[in-house]
Amino acid sequence: MEFKDLPLRERKASRTRLAIYRAGRSLLKKKGLADIRVEEICEDAEVSRGTFFSYFSRKKDLIIYSIRLWSIEIGWHMARMPEAALGLSWIEKIFLDLGHEMPDEPFFWKELLAIRIFEPKNIHRLNQNEVSMVTLGDRLLHFPDKPGIEDVLEGTIVTYLKQNLIIAMEKGELPPGINFESTLISLTSLLYGVPTMLSGYTELETLDQEYSRQLNTLWAGLRVTCT
């Protein structure tokens, strides 16, 4: 299916929602949510304040919507990767990519970390895929060069960490006796905890290196304790 095949009303809604999203992300490159007024977003997106709240109930929802789009894109790429690139290699690559991206958009990622800390129930609902935020029109408009994007699970980064942990165990990259849930908690703790601890010291310029060190330590520990 193509975006042009959708009803006009759906196409208009997706154009408006993505215009608001892009305006918000652009402003987040310069400052945090507390310093961004809804009116600024509306001006850049060329919508009214009422229209903004018709699509997003609060500014924080722009962060969550961003993560949903990002996760869909990750899922699309992952579905097209050869098996050899999945498992531990995929986990290490996604951490490396994040290690490069976070320093470039510190305000956005700090807002996400804050939501993760202060709104755990909302994040849990996202992880369980109990909430859908991205419409078919949004997918087709935002990812016009990705055929099949409409079939990708909305998910979160945790969705794909789980899948690749399972693949790593099936490939023998990790011992079969590891505690799956504990390992997943360790990975997500690294994901959110390492940049939190580094931010007060290095402004995240060494985040990719620290992620790599911490992952290597985790893998080594799992192999020792489960043999």
Side-chain angles (χ1 to χ4, degrees), residues 194-214:
V194 172
T196 301
M197 294 305 297
L198 278 182
S199 61
Y201 304 100
T202 66
E203 295 302 323
L204 302 182
E205 67 265 20
T206 61
L207 180 58
D208 57 339
Q209 300 169 42
E210 194 57 44
Y211 267 151
S212 180
R213 283 192 287 266
Q214 294 297 328

Side-chain angles (χ1 to χ4, degrees), residues 20-151:
I20 294 170
Y21 153 75
R22 288 165 182 155
R25 282 299 296 264
S26 178
L27 288 166
L28 276 165
K29 293 180 183 295
K30 309 167 190 174
K31 50 190 174 181
L33 277 182
D35 297 318
I36 297 173
R37 294 179 295 108
V38 170
E39 289 77 10
E40 290 181 89
I41 300 173
C42 293
E43 182 177 352
D44 288 357
E46 298 185 335
V47 300
S48 69
R49 181 182 174 88
T51 298
F52 175 92
F53 287 110
S54 293
Y55 288 88
F56 297 97
S57 61
R58 55 183 187 158
K59 290 184 291 182
K60 285 184 180 180
D61 287 342
L62 288 168
I63 306 296
I64 298 173
Y65 182 77
S66 297
I67 292 302
R68 285 310 223 187
L69 285 175
W70 180 65
S71 297
I72 289 170
E73 186 173 14
I74 288 174
W76 187 88
H77 284 292
M78 183 178 151
R80 285 153 180 78
M81 285 184 172
E83 185 177 352
L86 300 177
L88 293 193
S89 294
W90 185 92
I91 293 174
E92 290 166 358
K93 182 182 185 306
I94 203 69
F95 271 80
L96 180 63
D97 289 347
L98 285 171
H100 293 151
E101 290 175 18
M102 285 190 190
D104 293 334
E105 292 195 76
F107 292 112
F108 172 81
W109 290 102
K110 285 176 182 178
E111 296 291 350
L112 174 60
L113 291 172
I115 291 173
R116 185 66 186 84
I117 293 168
F118 293 109
E119 300 185 16
K121 290 183 178 179
N122 284 338
I123 296 298
H124 178 73
R125 292 178 67 206
L126 293 172
N127 289 339
Q128 298 301 312
N129 239 34
E130 296 175 3
V131 179
S132 179
M133 298 184 71
V134 184
T135 69
L136 173 60
D138 298 356
R139 291 168 181 252
L140 296 175
L141 181 59
H142 193 62
F143 303 110
D145 59 341
K146 292 179 171 53
I149 196 72
E150 61 269 26
D151 300 321

Side-chain angles (χ1 to χ4, degrees), residues 1-8 11 15 140:
M1 176 178 283
E2 296 183 21
F3 182 72
K4 64 181 178 62
D5 298 323
L6 295 176
L8 178 60
R11 283 182 278 143
R15 288 192 183 102
L140 296 175

Side-chain angles (χ1 to χ4, degrees), residues 170-187:
E170 291 173 344
K171 292 169 68 174
E173 296 175 333
L174 289 175
I178 68 170
N179 185 309
F180 181 84
E181 290 301 326
S182 291
T183 304
L184 183 61
I185 290 172
S186 295
L187 277 176

